[in-house]
Amino acid sequence: MKKIKFDLHGEDVMKLSWLLSNGQVVMLSCCNAQKSVNGIISLSWVTPTSHEPLLFTASVGNGGKGDSSYRVCYSLINETKEFGLNLPAANLADAIIKVGTTHSDEVDKFKEAGLTAMESRKISAPLIEECFFNTG
């Protein structure tokens, strides 16, 4: 699928909002402060909360109680306070499942899922080249 160019300060914000509010599965990409550990998490609890500026809420559980966290992506996002939003098309279903069933501290999810890390111009975390929309 061809990448979609959205004007995040114009009419296209409503299109993106519609995509996110209708159960679209997303992959959040993240990394640690040293960029030595990359993570990706598949999730579908994403809700637009503002169109101007574009803001959304993503639900990422820590997997534990209190300070205990076994979800690496939660820890990475908590450390850097940033993540990339990547919208995959249906042709990435196998990658979405692989990302959602492996741990970033045990495997390189980009390699395991056959995904390509793409540099972001705004955040430290890589984006996912194969997704039809990315922002971070």
Side-chain angles (χ1 to χ4, degrees):
M1 177 176 246
K2 185 177 137 188
K3 278 206 186 289
I4 296 175
K5 298 286 185 186
F6 283 97
D7 175 7
L8 298 181
H9 301 287
E11 297 175 6
D12 290 340
V13 171
M14 293 303 286
K15 293 177 189 175
L16 181 58
S17 178
W18 182 86
L19 276 171
L20 291 174
S21 63
N22 285 288
Q24 169 73 41
V25 172
V26 303
M27 290 191 280
L28 299 185
S29 51
C30 50
C31 69
N32 64 353
Q34 298 77 29
K35 295 186 179 183
S36 60
V37 176
N38 289 325
I40 310 171
I41 187 169
S42 298
L43 54 102
S44 59
W45 285 2
V46 176
T47 302
T49 56
S50 172
H51 300 300
E52 191 61 40
L54 178 61
L55 299 172
F56 60 91
T57 300
S59 180
V60 179
N62 71 356
K65 297 187 185 286
D67 292 334
S68 171
S69 173
Y70 67 80
R71 291 210 173 115
V72 175
C73 289
Y74 173 88
S75 297
L76 297 174
I77 294 168
N78 194 42
E79 177 185 344
T80 62
K81 308 296 188 233
E82 64 181 28
F83 57 84
L85 172 68
N86 304 273
L87 301 183
N91 66 320
L92 292 178
D94 290 340
I96 293 165
I97 292 167
K98 178 63 85 173
V99 163
T101 58
T102 56
H103 297 283
S104 296
D105 61 340
E106 296 174 0
V107 300
D108 177 343
K109 287 189 180 186
F110 280 95
K111 183 178 177 182
E112 290 288 316
L115 299 171
T116 309
M118 179 176 85
E119 188 173 333
S120 171
R121 289 177 279 173
K122 296 181 181 180
I123 63 171
S124 298
L127 301 174
I128 301 171
E129 177 70 36
E130 290 78 8
C131 289
F132 73 87
F133 175 82
N134 331 76
T135 190

